[in-house]
Amino acid sequence: QVELVESGGGSVQAGGSLRLSCAASGRGLTINAWGWYRQAPGKQRELVAQMTTGGHTNYADSLKGRFNISRNKANNRSYLQMNSLQPEDTAVYYCDVRSGSRWIRTQTGSWGQGTLVTVSS
């Protein structure tokens, strides 16, 4: 069973920064990609950023230049550095991992609680 735990959310003023963390664990888990997603109140979950273990990254167009995804293979963690935060970035942020060809949470539909980011103007 794969467990993903997000942390690092909080309340910040517009223009501030936060760094989110996602810890992955699971017996025999082999991760080949990480993903961050967010869901704002009343909206659908959307992709924020993805990163393969080979270093290829993919960002939502609107977030390029402000958000940065990284990962630490040694401790099975991914990070999302968020800068110049705006009120429209307010959302619950989730992570997902791909093992083989399978995105774990996307496939199971079980996204957990995520971590809440609130940006005030």
Side-chain angles (χ1 to χ4, degrees), residues 16-104:
S17 298
L18 282 174
R19 187 190 192 211
L20 307 183
S21 176
C22 173
S25 62
R27 186 173 184 178
L29 178 64
T30 302
I31 298 169
N32 57 46
W34 295 83
W36 283 92
Y37 302 81
R38 68 184 184 182
Q39 187 167 17
K43 295 187 177 181
Q44 290 188 334
R45 187 177 296 111
E46 63 178 358
L47 171 69
V48 173
Q50 292 175 326
M51 182 178 191
T52 69
T53 51
H56 176 76
T57 56
N58 177 43
Y59 292 91
D61 286 342
S62 62
L63 301 177
K64 287 180 181 177
R66 293 196 299 123
F67 287 20
N68 183 69
I69 186 173
S70 62
R71 55 99 178 176
N72 186 324
K73 186 177 180 180
N75 63 10
N76 250 8
R77 283 180 178 263
S78 175
Y79 304 96
L80 185 68
Q81 177 68 42
M82 306 185 297
N83 301 319
S84 301
L85 284 163
Q86 300 301 316
E88 53 266 33
D89 295 317
T90 294
V92 178
Y93 285 72
Y94 304 88
C95 67
D96 198 2
V97 295
R98 189 178 70 193
S99 181
S101 62
R102 179 174 174 246
W103 284 97
I104 302 298

